[in-house]
Amino acid sequence: MDGQGERLNFDLGTAAGLRGAGVFGIVVGLLVVAGGVVAPPLGALLVFLWVWLSRTPFADIGLKR
């Protein structure tokens, strides 16, 4: 393969891992919650970072027009 397909598969696999309830998803979720407890603006940034990396639609986290 040319590397592009392998990188794309890794990105999709990582996104699925972030959305899932596996060890990786739970650890990331706990980090986001801890960031929100320590400093709410940091928690908000972590949520938006998680949404971007996991390719989750904003509507799925309650942000709609």
Side-chain angles (χ1 to χ4, degrees), residues 2 12 17-18 23 27 33 36-37 44 46-47 51 53-54 58-59:
D2 62 354
L12 292 175
L18 287 169
V23 175
V27 169
V33 170
V37 170
L46 290 174
V47 166
V51 166
L53 290 175
S54 68
F58 286 114

Side-chain angles (χ1 to χ4, degrees), residues 8-48:
L8 180 63
N9 288 338
F10 175 75
D11 291 342
L12 292 175
T14 303
L18 287 169
R19 284 189 310 270
V23 175
F24 187 54
I26 291 171
V27 169
V28 170
L30 289 174
L31 288 173
V32 169
V33 170
V37 170
V38 172
L42 175 63
L45 288 174
L46 290 174
V47 166
F48 284 117

